[in-house]
Amino acid sequence: MKALRNLVDKVKPTFAKGGKLEKLHWVFDGLETFLFTPGHATERGAHIRDGIDLKRTMSIVITAMIPCLLFGMWNVGHQHYLALGQFMELGDGFWDKFLFGAIKVLPIVVVSYGVGLGIEFLFTSIKGHPIQEGYLVSGMLIPLVMPVDTPLWMVAVGAAFAVVIGKEVFGGTGMNVVNVALTARAFLFFAYPTMMSGDKVWVSTSVEEGQKVVDGFSGATSLGHAASGAIDKVTPMMQSFWGFEAGSIGETSAFACLIGAAILIITGIGSWRIMLATVLGGSAMAALFNWVGPQIGNAYMQIPILHQLMLGSFMFGTVFMATDPVTAAQTDTGKWIYGFLIGAMAILIRVVNPAYPEGMMLAILFMNVMAPLIDHYVVQANIKRRLKRAALQTA
Amino acid sequence: MSNTIRIRKGLDIRLKGEAEKVLVQADPAKVIAIKPTDFHGLVPKVLVKPGDKVKAGTALFADKYNERVLYTSPVSGEVADVLRGEKRKVLEVRILADAQTEYEDFGTGEPGSMNRETIIQKLLKSGAWPVITQRPYDIVANPAQEPKAIFVSAFDSAPLAPDLDLVVRNHGADFQTGLDALAKLTKGKVHLGVSDKTAAREFLDAKGVTRHSFSGPHPAGNVGVQIHAISPINKGDLVWTVSVQDVILIGRLFRQGRFDASRTIAITGSMARNPKYVRTVIGAPLKDLIGGVEGKVRVVSGNCLTGSTVGADGFLGFYHGQVTLLPEGDTPKFFITDGWATPGFNTFSANRSFPTWLMPGKKFAPDTNQNGEERAFVMSGQYEQVFPFDIYPVQLLKAILANDIEQMEKLGLYEVAPEDFALCEFVCTSKINSQSIVRAGLDALKKETT
């Protein structure tokens, strides 16, 4: 470490004020503080500080997403070969599937980080503030919520839009109003609808010579089937739970999301209140539909509660998107309301709205915007309680 | 005894370097210093000049805006120097101490038979008055006002804090007399907060007070938390607080007629050579008490969450009953070995991303590195876990940062002192200096409302 430290110290003046590469100072600073937690000692107040910092926090969220990423890679390959009619059994061709998925997915990850971090570097250099860790998580979330066949240029445009409009215009990390990764997803969804929804994008059907897609193949997701009334084609629940179905790269496996949830809850990085509230909200709405469905003869409404939660991006959104501490409600009471409404609204949009087969993204974005209002009322209640206390005492 | 009030939110930081329960008498200090900077917001009017002879209890400086409030010498001797900093701000008044302390005579008396104004006069004249602090604003109390109640916390829950049961031992009569004097200062009650582990009869048998028992982690011993649990401060309320050592000091003033500034100090911290209890006086040079330091050591007068850095040549602060020695942490940490990506078996954290939450018995020796850089508020719910007030801490801090006076009032700034936010500052992922923010908020509020 000494050698590395010496090297860093040796090149440091080049990036300092007056140095040759002065403009890249904050980029250098970002790399230096990545390698070495700075020797900033406390000056006043609490002389000792907790070991946690934003870098560690963010890297734990990324760790929590790794099961989704790895499973997603395999599933991309799995779905691809199913479409070609090869390796039909789950256990067959593991490495072929994984390799195919990796070749498809890794470039998206690289482009997401490359473009997003590049723009962050640009902003830090122009605005003269340190690189803040925010994009570390967004950079991984963006690939995981994309359909596998998203062109790389589109990923780049989405990431750029997210960083600039979703975050930097609000002042950077910690200041954004809506979830950065979802901003990218929503932008692409509305800008390039044919590439982001429908039944052509979820399974990679690129073929090499001598291969062809099997007859009668449909690339629709379970939710696509359900929305079009083909309830019988919805993936069975256990299959949805493990994630053997078409969908966004990292979102299909409820199981992988649950591993992530466990990591986030045990470390205390992700709010269990929001996760639980979202699940409760989704369950409540699904239960309501279960009750109403038979009376009006709507089959979609009758999908069992648990199954609803396993489908689409519900679990992924619950664990990784709704819990984004910056855009979620900040107060404990607020978190319950916020999460509950996300869950309820996601199922509501999904089942009732004819235009969108999935509602999680819109539900979270909508509640991101509402979160400050929820917090406002929670805090107002606190203020009222305190004023009442004062009145009681003087009375 | 009333029911125990359980404080659920908080955090006990497990540190190495607890003071051994041995009390030694320190050698008489040769030089002592009284620092006007220990009293927040004080503009001192210096009353002595170098060469003047003083006794213990002779006024050194007064509050420029309230000249009845005197700050007096804890020892007898000769004024050596009046140290000034930028803009001629008075930093220290140093006194070369006599080998034998001579005391000004303020006359003995039984507080029970004295009236309020006589007691106040005596406290003011002797220099004992500044031990009484007030909330809101966490400043020296104004003798012209009357508080709705007076609070004394009989236990300290801060990291490595001195055991007040031991401090009060052999001073029971002084403590009781001090309480009797305080009882005369308010028409309300004198509240004594004890811990469910308090065993000292001096506390448990104290008369003329309303006793409350508390249990739970730090900050249960903070007087602010106790006030909040017993009788919260609303807008327009005024309460006074006094520490146990200072109640004893007041008691001694009435029983012996002199300003005897003796203190029992706990020498603590992982860098302390022999952590123990020492009997000394306010303003004593720490060098004598800690026996010198080697290498990069931070010497803190007070505890590691709220104390002030004084350096190895510094002096004991006016309100402090503890000295903490910590390893200085001003060197960069490689990210894998001991930086942000370390497994962290030796890192104490309230966050469970460090495995140390699985080692409940282990004690730690953290250095003073900030462990990261300052960021915007990102994580939510962190402060709330260690902040046992019915107050939204982050919202309050944001109101202060926005300088929104009305919102600060509504969100409860009247109730808190910077020390109540010390744990928030400790656990903060974004490394936000909340104690300074609270202090700035209190200053703004005071300026606006008085």
Side-chain angles (χ1 to χ4, degrees):
Chain A
M1 293 332 99
K2 198 105 192 156
L4 189 61
R5 184 68 234 173
N6 288 342
L7 179 73
V8 171
D9 285 338
K10 206 174 128 194
V11 296
K12 202 170 181 170
T14 328
F15 297 94
K17 219 175 166 67
K20 243 188 276 174
L21 298 172
E22 182 187 333
K23 285 212 164 65
L24 291 175
H25 170 73
W26 291 109
V27 177
F28 173 79
D29 177 80
L31 295 175
E32 186 193 352
T33 53
F34 178 89
L35 288 174
F36 294 93
T37 301
H40 296 170
T42 54
E43 281 165 13
R44 60 187 108 81
H47 296 273
I48 54 170
R49 300 293 172 97
D50 199 294
I52 191 76
D53 73 343
L54 213 47
K55 284 189 177 68
R56 191 177 182 92
T57 307
M58 297 277 182
S59 46
I60 283 171
V61 182
I62 293 175
T63 312
M65 281 190 278
I66 284 176
C68 287
L69 177 73
L70 293 180
F71 178 83
M73 286 185 190
W74 174 85
N75 190 47
V76 162
H78 179 59
Q79 296 298 327
H80 168 75
Y81 282 110
L82 281 188
L84 298 185
Q86 299 174 5
F87 305 129
M88 297 297 280
E89 292 300 314
L90 278 180
D92 293 348
F94 176 81
W95 286 110
D96 288 283
K97 288 173 178 173
F98 189 78
L99 201 66
F100 179 88
I103 291 169
K104 280 280 176 187
V105 173
L106 286 179
I108 301 180
V109 175
V110 170
V111 168
S112 164
Y113 272 113
V115 171
L117 284 178
I119 294 174
E120 289 240 315
F121 286 161
L122 195 69
F123 267 92
T124 57
S125 298
I126 295 169
K127 288 167 68 183
H129 65 67
I131 288 173
Q132 309 192 338
E133 293 75 11
Y135 196 74
L136 292 180
V137 168
S138 307
M140 181 62 89
L141 279 171
I142 289 174
L144 293 183
V145 298
M146 293 288 163
V148 59
D149 266 349
T150 314
L152 292 179
W153 66 266
M154 222 181 259
V155 176
V157 171
F161 182 86
V163 174
V164 177
I165 303 295
K167 187 162 88 173
E168 289 297 340
V169 292
F170 293 106
T173 302
M175 306 289 187
N176 46 308
V177 175
V178 294
N179 186 299
V180 177
L182 273 182
T183 311
R185 181 76 173 82
F187 169 71
L188 294 177
F189 183 82
F190 290 111
Y192 307 100
T194 52
M195 302 302 292
M196 286 289 142
S197 56
D199 52 11
K200 298 280 179 283
V201 299
W202 305 107
V203 175
S204 177
T205 49
S206 55
V207 287
E208 289 162 32
E209 235 183 323
Q211 294 178 325
K212 71 176 188 51
V213 174
V214 293
D215 293 338
F217 167 75
S218 158
T221 62
S222 290
L223 290 175
H225 285 305
S228 61
I231 295 293
D232 54 317
K233 287 189 184 157
V234 172
T235 321
M237 175 144 84
M238 276 324 278
Q239 216 170 315
S240 284
F241 173 73
W242 295 110
F244 310 132
E245 60 178 325
S248 293
I249 293 169
E251 294 183 346
T252 58
S253 174
F255 177 70
C257 292
L258 286 175
I259 298 176
I263 294 174
L264 292 181
I265 291 174
I266 289 171
T267 54
I269 303 276
S271 164
W272 61 268
R273 285 187 184 85
I274 294 178
M275 294 189 212
L276 181 58
T278 309
V279 167
L280 288 177
S283 306
M285 187 53 83
L288 184 70
F289 283 145
N290 278 187
W291 178 64
V292 175
Q295 303 177 32
I296 56 173
N298 184 327
Y300 195 173
M301 291 187 176
Q302 297 176 45
I303 294 179
I305 298 170
L306 259 183
H307 198 179
Q308 275 284 14
L309 304 184
M310 302 297 163
L311 289 173
S313 55
F314 192 92
M315 286 310 288
F316 189 85
T318 300
V319 175
F320 297 111
M321 297 285 198
T323 53
D324 170 7
V326 175
T327 56
Q330 316 266 312
T331 54
D332 281 354
T333 317
K335 282 172 182 167
W336 287 109
I337 302 169
Y338 166 85
F340 191 88
L341 289 178
I342 285 181
M345 204 177 296
I347 302 294
L348 179 73
I349 297 173
R350 179 190 280 189
V351 175
V352 176
N353 190 306
Y356 307 116
E358 172 61 306
M360 198 60 185
M361 174 180 80
L362 291 174
I364 296 174
L365 284 175
F366 183 70
M367 290 314 295
N368 279 171
V369 177
M370 289 297 147
L373 189 68
I374 298 174
D375 281 337
H376 174 78
Y377 282 113
V378 173
V379 172
Q380 284 304 316
N382 173 268
I383 290 172
K384 277 206 193 107
R385 188 165 65 237
R386 302 169 57 79
L387 285 176
K388 213 165 164 187
R389 182 187 81 189
L392 271 179
Q393 261 187 10
T394 47
Chain B
M1 164 155 271
S2 55
N3 289 334
T4 298
I5 300 168
R6 177 153 175 70
I7 303 295
R8 291 174 193 283
K9 294 172 169 185
L11 177 69
D12 283 325
I13 304 174
R14 303 191 304 271
L15 298 181
K16 285 179 186 164
E18 197 179 335
E20 200 186 327
K21 296 212 162 124
V22 179
L23 179 60
V24 294
Q25 177 70 45
D27 294 334
K30 293 194 178 65
V31 183
I32 74 106
I34 290 296
K35 298 173 276 188
T37 47
D38 283 348
F39 313 95
H40 183 79
L42 171 72
V43 181
K45 181 179 171 190
V46 181
L47 304 172
V48 291
K49 52 185 188 301
D52 285 0
K53 296 267 185 238
V54 293
K55 289 182 184 172
T58 309
L60 300 176
F61 48 89
D63 182 344
K64 189 176 168 194
Y65 299 108
N66 195 347
E67 292 193 14
R68 292 168 76 197
V69 183
L70 298 176
Y71 299 79
T72 60
S73 176
V75 291
S76 63
E78 185 186 317
V79 177
D81 204 357
V82 178
L83 238 70
R84 287 175 189 269
E86 277 174 40
K87 296 186 188 162
R88 297 191 42 78
K89 182 180 175 182
V90 183
L91 300 179
E92 284 175 10
V93 177
R94 291 195 182 179
I95 294 147
L96 287 172
D98 297 337
Q100 269 301 333
T101 306
E102 289 176 50
Y103 294 90
E104 299 267 11
D105 183 16
F106 298 105
T108 57
E110 181 60 45
S113 61
M114 298 162 86
N115 66 23
R116 181 170 190 266
E117 195 46 41
T118 329
I119 290 175
I120 291 177
Q121 275 307 331
K122 196 178 174 85
L123 292 172
L124 284 167
K125 243 179 102 194
S126 64
W129 182 265
V131 303
I132 304 173
T133 52
Q134 69 159 66
R135 293 199 185 206
Y137 313 129
D138 191 32
I139 50 175
V140 172
N142 181 351
Q145 293 173 319
E146 190 177 331
K148 74 165 183 176
I150 298 177
F151 287 81
V152 178
S153 173
F155 69 107
D156 192 343
S157 56
L160 304 175
D163 177 2
L164 296 185
D165 281 10
L166 194 140
V167 167
V168 80
R169 196 178 294 166
N170 304 329
H171 300 283
D174 290 333
F175 183 70
Q176 184 59 52
T177 309
L179 290 178
D180 296 343
L182 290 177
K184 287 277 180 146
L185 298 182
T186 174
K187 288 196 194 80
K189 291 172 176 169
V190 176
H191 298 276
L192 182 69
V194 299
S195 141
D196 58 342
K197 295 185 188 74
T198 295
R201 295 324 306 178
E202 291 84 344
F203 294 139
L204 297 179
D205 298 340
K207 285 173 212 59
V209 296
T210 312
R211 203 171 49 248
H212 309 267
S213 173
F214 290 86
S215 71
H218 184 58
N222 276 14
V223 71
V225 173
Q226 300 178 3
I227 297 170
H228 184 78
I230 296 164
S231 165
I233 304 172
N234 299 302
K235 185 178 180 178
D237 285 350
L238 177 72
V239 305
W240 287 353
T241 67
V242 188
S243 77
V244 164
Q245 299 237 27
D246 292 331
V247 175
I248 296 171
L249 184 146
I250 291 174
R252 260 197 314 262
L253 173 67
F254 284 91
R255 293 183 70 229
Q256 300 173 8
R258 56 199 200 184
F259 180 63
D260 179 348
S262 304
R263 282 272 154 96
T264 303
I265 305 298
I267 310 289
T268 62
S270 58
M271 299 303 276
R273 267 195 222 147
N274 38 4
K276 57 181 186 295
Y277 290 80
V278 177
R279 192 90 183 135
T280 182
V281 291
I282 292 172
L286 297 186
K287 201 162 47 180
D288 298 358
L289 304 181
I290 59 183
V293 290
E294 277 166 31
K296 286 183 166 179
V297 175
R298 176 172 301 191
V299 181
V300 175
S301 175
N303 68 54
C304 62
L305 291 179
T306 61
S308 38
T309 310
V310 292
D313 296 326
F315 299 87
L316 183 68
F318 187 85
Y319 295 105
H320 295 147
Q322 182 182 6
V323 176
T324 311
L325 300 161
L326 301 164
E328 194 64 72
D330 56 353
T331 43
K333 297 177 172 178
F334 187 59
F335 77 115
I336 298 172
T337 51
D338 46 10
W340 58 273
T342 169
F345 292 104
N346 287 315
T347 310
F348 180 80
S349 176
N351 190 286
R352 290 188 303 271
S353 68
F354 290 87
T356 44
W357 66 281
L358 296 166
M359 318 169 184
K362 184 165 170 155
K363 292 189 173 180
F364 301 87
D367 62 25
T368 62
N369 193 295
Q370 198 169 270
N371 296 327
E373 297 166 284
E374 189 169 333
R375 294 286 183 257
F377 287 102
V378 171
M379 298 303 288
S380 62
Q382 276 189 311
Y383 292 8
E384 286 79 355
Q385 285 176 8
V386 295
F387 190 72
F389 289 78
D390 182 21
I391 286 176
Y392 282 104
V394 176
Q395 281 72 13
L396 177 56
L397 291 176
K398 285 183 177 173
I400 297 171
L401 291 171
N403 206 21
D404 184 342
I405 301 280
E406 204 186 333
Q407 195 72 358
M408 294 180 211
E409 285 187 328
K410 285 183 184 165
L411 287 173
L413 188 57
Y414 288 117
E415 288 195 52
V416 294
E419 65 169 9
D420 297 319
F421 276 77
L423 276 174
C424 297
E425 189 165 275
F426 173 81
V427 300
C428 186
T429 299
S430 296
K431 311 296 171 190
I432 289 164
N433 291 317
S434 23
Q435 292 191 82
S436 319
I437 298 174
V438 171
R439 179 44 90 189
L442 290 171
D443 288 349
L445 191 62
K446 179 161 180 279
K447 207 172 148 198
E448 197 73 17
T449 53
T450 53

